[in-house]
Structure formats: C-alpha cells, structure tokens
Amino acid sequence: ALIGPSGEGKTTMLRLLLGIVQPQAGSITVTGMATGETMAASASTRRLFAYVPQSSAMFAGTVGENLRLLNPEATEEQLWHALELTCAGDFVRRMPQGLDSPLGEGGGGLSQGQAQRLSIARAILADAPILLLDEATSALDTRTEGQLLQNVVGAFRGKTVLVTTHRPGVLDIAHRVYALRGGQAIRQTPGQAKQSMHA
C-alpha cells in the first residue's frame, strides 16, 4: 500500500512505474523473476501492469465488451469469475441482459462504485503480473472494499498488488506499507501507517 496526503505523489509514483513519466533523477527498472532480465520502465514494460485509476473508464457497449477490453479472448466463465472476485456478480446478474446489458458512454447507468468494480474485474482479466489500484475502491463502502481486496489479493498469489489509499482499513491486507512524504517513500508498519493517517 502507498499512503500519503493528497498531492504527495502517489499517482505520480504509479505513472513512473508505468513509464508514462520519466524520473528527473535516478532510474526505475523492472526485473523479471524468472529471467533476471532488468529493463528500464517504459512503454515496453507497461504490459506487465494492469492499472485501475480512481475514475473508472467505461465505454458505450455491453458489460461483456467492457470486461474483454484488455483480454478479448476471455471466456464467459472467466468474466463471471472476475466479477465474483470484485463483488460485482450479483448486480450484473440483476441487470436485464446480464453480460449483454448495454452501458452508456462513461459507464452511464452504473453507480461510481459499480463502475469501479467492473474496472477492477477488467484489470484482473488482463492477467498481468502487477496490479495497480489507484484509489480504485474509493466509492465502495468499507465492507465491500475489504471483501473485494481480500478476494483480489487471494487470487493474485505470486503476483503483486499495489494500492494507493486514504483509508486505514485497506492497510489490513497489505504486506508492506510505504508513506510518501517530502519526496521519500518511508516503510511503515500497518499500525504506524494507520496512526499517521489519523494524525
């Protein structure tokens, strides 16, 4: 988990990892666990990441078409599995046409929380080794958020999930927590991090 006040650089850190922006000093590299090959973070390493921003990007089309955006070959079974992991299965089943239900541009017809869950499901279907969630659960109630994150972390065993958050409850599932302050990433225990979030 990455924590810190607004404007401290959490989203910028993710953009650096994605190679969207370049560091002004130093370097960011990605090392393959299997090969040991090291590459500079750039557009060519972006395929290693699935990124979900806070504002979920949905387009006009069906639920299924939105979910298959990053993995056009995903089966219906895989779609439903990703929906269950993100606590979205129930509301999609209640939609008039299920996976074939049409969505308006920008996710018209969905609440912000529903759009966030579908965006996370779409990222899971990309099957990238690293999942970046940039306050991607901010519109969810804390119970749904906790269940979703537990499900995702459980499903991503052997992979990396990096979450930026302002919510102390998210830290309960984090194996490592870093606080961004004054341009530095300081490792903290979940207890220390929760105290600093309340300060």
Side-chain angles (χ1 to χ4, degrees), residues 4-17:
S6 295
E8 197 64 50
K10 297 184 297 298
T11 297
T12 300
M13 178 75 82
L14 301 190
R15 290 167 61 84
L16 285 162
L17 292 173

Side-chain angles (χ1 to χ4, degrees), residues 72-88:
E73 306 303 316
T75 65
E76 192 165 310
E77 181 181 358
Q78 288 172 315
L79 298 188
W80 283 112
H81 179 63
L83 289 170
E84 294 304 330
L85 288 175
T86 58
C87 306

Side-chain angles (χ1 to χ4, degrees), residues 143-177:
R143 185 185 64 79
T144 303
E145 178 185 55
Q147 186 62 62
L148 183 155
L149 291 172
Q150 282 185 350
N151 292 348
V152 170
V153 168
F156 264 67
R157 294 203 183 281
K159 298 184 179 186
T160 299
V161 181
L162 181 58
V163 180
T164 70
T165 187
H166 288 288
R167 290 180 162 179
V170 174
L171 305 181
D172 293 334
I173 58 138
H175 296 109
R176 296 181 189 175
V177 180

Side-chain angles (χ1 to χ4, degrees), residues 9-101:
K10 297 184 297 298
T11 297
T12 300
M13 178 75 82
L14 301 190
R15 290 167 61 84
L16 285 162
L17 292 173
L18 290 166
I20 295 171
V21 295
Q22 296 300 314
Q24 293 176 347
S27 62
I28 297 177
T29 57
V30 180
T31 303
M33 297 266 308
T35 64
E37 180 186 4
T38 296
M39 300 166 284
S42 66
S44 63
T45 59
R46 209 168 291 154
R47 62 186 165 73
L48 302 172
F49 299 88
Y51 172 60
V52 185
Q54 183 175 5
S55 54
S56 308
M58 295 279 122
F59 62 88
T62 67
V63 171
E65 287 168 342
N66 272 276
L67 291 174
R68 286 191 173 101
L69 183 64
L70 302 177
N71 181 359
E73 306 303 316
T75 65
E76 192 165 310
E77 181 181 358
Q78 288 172 315
L79 298 188
W80 283 112
H81 179 63
L83 289 170
E84 294 304 330
L85 288 175
T86 58
C87 306
D90 286 347
F91 83 75
V92 172
R93 281 190 196 87
R94 287 194 300 269
M95 296 175 82
Q97 296 167 265
L99 291 171
D100 295 322
S101 297

